[in-house]
Amino acid sequence: MADLYSIIVLMEHLEKAFIRDSITADEYTPQCANLIAKYKTTMNFLSDSVNNLETFMNEYKLSCPAALNRFKIGVPATYEHAVGDNKNDVGKSAKYIAETVLHFITLMDTLRLNRYAVDELHPILADLIQSINKVPGLSADFEGKQKIVTSR
């Protein structure tokens, strides 16, 4: 249980350091992901004695709201909020890929419902094209982009 206690306190300090810009996103992300993994592993080991995190924190009078929130979310803030202006940033990539998949599924569902009217398909296709263009690392001649734009 001491391990769990120390992981919670460490996460609280890490979150506060990131919020105050004491550490960069590049330093924060791997450390946070590592602590989340350690938290999950520790909770698996302590599943018999620790029911949930909030109960544990109340029992040991721990006041670490930032850590509690981060463990509930389960991913570093840089992934959650797509922080960073690096073109290869994983958080941004994940966000734009998820948006692209969302628009693609919406388009497929619309077609499966036999809705072929231009006024229904055009906005969905426009959203799909815009989101796929935002995905970093895809070249302009990427086959998927070409198929969407030129398909008939």
Side-chain angles (χ1 to χ4, degrees):
M1 285 199 226
D3 290 333
L4 180 58
Y5 188 97
S6 64
I7 290 168
I8 295 168
V9 171
L10 187 55
M11 180 62 85
E12 183 73 12
H13 289 293
L14 182 66
E15 288 292 308
K16 286 182 179 178
F18 181 64
I19 290 168
R20 294 176 182 150
D21 285 331
S22 299
I23 59 173
T24 65
D26 292 336
E27 295 169 322
Y28 165 82
T29 303
Q31 294 299 324
C32 185
N34 186 22
L35 284 174
I36 290 170
K38 287 181 180 181
Y39 160 74
K40 289 179 180 178
T41 304
T42 304
M43 286 299 282
N44 285 338
F45 286 132
L46 297 175
S47 62
D48 294 338
S49 56
V50 178
N51 293 333
N52 67 39
L53 184 59
E54 291 180 54
T55 305
F56 178 84
M57 290 175 68
N58 289 336
E59 186 176 326
Y60 289 96
K61 296 178 178 54
L62 262 173
S63 178
C64 300
L68 178 63
N69 182 51
R70 185 59 45 217
F71 289 133
K72 281 184 178 179
I73 294 170
V75 294
T78 50
Y79 292 173
E80 179 187 8
H81 303 293
V83 173
D85 44 3
N86 181 359
K87 194 162 180 140
N88 295 323
D89 186 49
V90 176
K92 267 190 182 165
S93 294
K95 177 184 174 189
Y96 293 134
I97 290 168
E99 284 179 7
T100 302
V101 169
L102 170 93
H103 295 303
F104 183 77
I105 291 171
T106 303
L107 176 64
M108 294 303 297
D109 289 345
T110 303
L111 293 173
R112 284 190 186 126
L113 292 171
N114 296 323
R115 294 182 172 210
Y116 302 114
V118 173
D119 63 331
E120 290 181 7
L121 293 177
H122 185 269
I124 300 168
L125 271 171
D127 290 342
L128 176 60
I129 292 168
Q130 288 174 354
S131 65
I132 201 167
N133 285 333
K134 291 179 185 177
V135 175
L138 291 181
S139 63
D141 60 341
F142 175 67
E143 183 182 355
K145 286 183 185 180
Q146 297 300 323
K147 284 185 178 182
I148 291 171
V149 174
T150 60
S151 64
R152 294 179 181 194

